[in-house]
Amino acid sequence: DTAVSQTPKYLVTQMGNDKSIKCEQNLGHDTMYWYKQDSKKFLKIMFSYNNKELIINETVPNRFSPKSPDKAHLNLHINSLELGDSAVYFCASSQVVKGEQYFGPGTRLTVT
Amino acid sequence: GNSVTQMEGPVTLSEEAFLTINCTYTATGYPSLFWYVQYPGEGLQLLLKATKADDKGSNKGFEATYRKETTSFHLEKGSVQVSDSAVYFCALSGTDSSYKLIFGSGTRLLVRP
């Protein structure tokens, strides 16, 4: 009965590699988000999709590309990984754009 | 632009002590305000919210009142437990059409038995 799930939970990879993180929500929500939490616990939004349409695209390197195949899924693909990409990435969803957000458990990405 | 400022942690308390975590915000318009909690190794959970001035959000013994005159949304609990140890985030929803959440830097709470 997991509401927002992410895979993988941990991801260790080398610089220059390409990786993806998957997110799925079974809440029937229309809006999904990706956040990045750095080592000091600071959280910042990266992207948001509403009904598969991109509505928020913060100042994020274009190595990061979100993809929403349907309303229940929002994946994050990262090309040419850098050391500074190491962080915990959280997916979230809300029923409407203005609604309260429900977060997944996070994916800890470590780039070596 | 919109922003949220939280008191720096860590905050260390003994069990049953009174808790206050300060949060102030800067925003144009009338944002909704939230407190989220992150337990070790987990994602964020919504703790409480308030959508307009003078609203009081409450949950699990925690309370916060939306004070427009002081632009504050301080989190309080009368008697903390060891299980309350976590990182607490104050946040506001954007007042533009995106309604994106803007988080404070988080405050770590450690409750000792």
Side-chain angles (χ1 to χ4, degrees):
Chain A
D1 60 343
T2 304
V4 182
S5 59
Q6 295 179 228
T7 53
K9 190 168 173 63
Y10 300 97
L11 184 53
V12 181
T13 188
Q14 293 183 328
M15 280 195 305
N17 284 349
D18 302 339
K19 291 294 178 186
S20 291
I21 306 172
K22 296 187 176 182
C23 177
E24 176 180 3
Q25 54 94 4
N26 62 6
L27 298 167
H29 288 170
D30 287 338
T31 309
M32 297 184 72
Y33 310 80
W34 276 112
Y35 288 86
K36 180 180 180 181
Q37 186 176 46
D38 64 22
S39 58
K40 296 185 178 179
K41 297 289 188 183
F42 186 69
L43 265 165
K44 194 168 191 302
I45 191 165
M46 301 172 68
F47 302 103
S48 175
Y49 271 75
N50 179 247
N51 282 322
K52 301 197 301 174
E53 185 177 336
L54 183 67
I55 58 170
I56 296 175
N57 185 354
E58 292 294 287
T59 310
V60 176
N62 57 16
R63 299 181 294 103
F64 290 78
S65 53
K67 288 208 172 32
S68 182
D70 55 57
K71 285 197 317 183
H73 296 85
L74 180 62
N75 303 324
L76 183 65
H77 188 75
I78 315 170
N79 289 329
S80 304
L81 278 154
E82 300 177 356
L83 292 176
D85 298 332
S86 295
V88 181
Y89 292 84
F90 286 101
C91 177
S93 72
S94 62
Q95 188 166 15
V96 293
V97 172
K98 196 178 179 180
E100 60 195 58
Q101 296 180 22
Y102 294 80
F103 282 76
T107 296
R108 181 176 294 277
L109 171 65
T110 303
V111 182
T112 62
Chain B
N2 296 344
S3 65
V4 176
T5 302
Q6 280 181 246
M7 62 188 288
E8 281 196 29
V11 173
T12 303
L13 295 173
S14 298
E15 209 165 19
E16 299 184 3
F18 184 87
L19 168 71
T20 300
I21 299 179
N22 290 337
C23 170
T24 57
Y25 68 90
T26 302
T28 53
Y30 302 94
S32 293
L33 301 173
F34 306 86
W35 276 101
Y36 280 83
V37 58
Q38 184 177 27
Y39 297 103
E42 298 185 12
L44 278 75
Q45 301 174 25
L46 179 65
L47 182 59
L48 53 85
K49 68 176 183 180
T51 56
K52 61 183 186 297
D54 299 325
D55 266 3
K56 178 186 281 189
S58 61
N59 186 25
K60 300 181 181 179
F62 291 89
E63 293 183 340
T65 301
Y66 190 143
R67 302 278 188 207
K68 189 162 174 56
E69 63 277 12
T70 54
T71 61
S72 65
F73 193 54
H74 304 322
L75 182 68
E76 296 181 336
K77 187 175 185 183
S79 175
V80 294
Q81 306 300 312
V82 172
S83 58
D84 293 327
S85 298
V87 180
Y88 292 81
F89 292 90
C90 185
L92 65 80
S93 65
T95 51
D96 58 15
S97 58
S98 72
Y99 297 107
K100 64 186 180 187
L101 280 181
I102 296 168
F103 286 89
S105 54
T107 302
R108 183 179 299 277
L109 170 66
L110 179 60
V111 181
R112 300 194 186 279

